[in-house]
Amino acid sequence: MREKELAKVISQKCIGTGVYSMWIETKAAQTAVAGQFVSVYCKDKTKLLPRPISICQIDKEKGRLRIVYRVVGEGTEEMSSYSAGDDISLIGPLGNGFMQREGKKAILIGGGIGIPPMVGLAEALKDKAEVSVVAGYRDELFLTKELENAGKLYIATEDGSTGTKGTVIDAIKEQAVGGNVIYACGPTPMLKAIKEYALANNIECQLSLEERMACGIGACLACVCQSKDKDAHSNVNNKRICKDGPVFLAEEVEL
């Protein structure tokens, strides 16, 4: 069982409109793997539930993690006010990370705020596999330098301002991006399209699901998704995204 921890903010900066990057000194860095998340508690005690934030980068040697998040409500608005030296209360690492397939040609796909986890995964796979990264944005780009350092980067934008105009699937087809295994994180419509593409092309596919969470440790059943098999915990066809995921094999879940 993970324990709540009082960690320390090392640095924070705004890297896009409403998008913030924070490095945190935390015990969670010792065991974290790409694809996991931390749950951050607000200092405002009227906000009881923690905010789940994906891990972007892991520095085990220095005992620190990087999170990149978008301000979407009062909790993340509070987080955006933190600065170096501030305490930050969190629990983690939580969930199951990506199953890293060594020696396989990897396609990493991130959409919107699902892009940050791809940075840490690309770094973890860099010396184990050939890595291609496909990143989908509405318009404004972020984390492109980090992604380019870890693999070949392809970009899709909704407005066509950079790279392929359209979706990540459009970019994969236009650029003929090939691989043996797909790792993806992003909004559900994007993940559904990726699952269909992977199944049609007989490619192994791992999906990291985005969902609003409450407890973050699998107790409350607030973040379930429909699954192919019955869950041993609830005996119904669902999976707890925070506990059983957030990463699943594509064929395990119904989107």
Side-chain angles (χ1 to χ4, degrees):
M1 182 69 176
R2 303 294 184 192
E3 294 182 354
K4 193 174 177 181
E5 172 197 356
L6 192 62
K8 188 76 69 176
V9 176
I10 300 172
S11 65
Q12 175 156 243
K13 64 179 180 179
C14 181
I15 61 171
T17 304
V19 179
Y20 288 80
S21 167
M22 184 192 297
W23 277 101
I24 305 167
E25 184 179 328
T26 168
K27 295 175 185 176
Q30 297 171 4
T31 56
V33 296
Q36 290 185 299
F37 65 96
V38 294
S39 283
V40 179
Y41 291 85
C42 296
K43 295 178 181 178
D44 181 348
K45 300 306 180 184
T46 65
K47 300 176 180 64
L48 298 177
L49 298 177
R51 272 56 182 173
I53 309 290
S54 296
I55 296 170
C56 177
Q57 287 179 283
I58 304 165
D59 187 338
K60 293 185 183 293
E61 285 189 14
K62 295 184 178 179
R64 60 183 191 169
L65 296 175
R66 184 187 187 189
I67 59 174
V68 173
Y69 63 95
R70 191 187 303 278
V71 173
V72 293
E74 293 180 356
T76 44
E77 181 69 40
E78 179 194 295
M79 286 173 56
S80 70
S81 71
Y82 296 176
S83 56
D86 286 350
D87 291 332
I88 181 169
S89 184
L90 58 82
I91 184 171
L94 298 174
N96 296 307
F98 289 102
M99 296 160 277
Q100 299 173 24
R101 309 301 194 197
E102 294 189 23
K104 289 195 173 184
K105 192 173 182 182
I107 308 173
L108 280 57
I109 309 173
I113 212 62
I115 292 171
M118 296 298 108
V119 175
L121 179 60
E123 291 177 344
L125 290 172
K126 188 175 180 180
D127 298 323
K128 302 175 184 177
E130 182 181 338
V131 176
S132 297
V133 184
V134 184
Y137 302 87
R138 181 172 292 122
D139 44 36
E140 188 178 20
L141 309 184
F142 56 90
L143 295 175
T144 53
K145 182 178 179 181
E146 290 88 339
L147 293 171
E148 287 172 338
N149 287 338
K152 175 66 176 177
L153 176 62
Y154 303 90
I155 293 173
T157 51
E158 290 182 14
D159 64 358
S161 55
T162 306
T164 299
K165 181 177 182 179
T167 68
V168 290
I169 296 295
D170 293 329
I172 288 171
K173 292 178 178 178
E174 181 177 280
Q175 300 296 327
V177 182
N180 309 115
V181 56
I182 288 173
Y183 307 87
C185 183
T188 300
M190 184 194 90
L191 296 182
K192 185 176 181 180
I194 291 170
K195 176 182 177 178
E196 291 172 354
Y197 176 83
L199 292 176
N201 289 276
N202 196 30
I203 302 172
E204 178 188 342
C205 182
Q206 298 179 30
L207 304 175
S208 179
L209 274 56
E210 294 182 343
E211 184 57 72
R212 293 183 67 87
M213 298 179 185
C215 72
I217 56 174
C220 69
L221 303 181
C223 64
V224 297
C225 64
Q226 190 174 356
S227 62
K228 179 181 177 182
D229 300 319
K230 288 187 183 297
D231 174 40
H233 181 75
S234 58
N235 201 35
V236 294
N237 290 82
N238 64 29
K239 296 280 188 182
R240 297 162 292 169
I241 293 174
C242 67
K243 182 75 173 179
D244 302 315
V247 178
F248 298 95
L249 292 172
E251 59 268 24
E252 288 185 289
V253 292
E254 301 292 339
L255 300 174

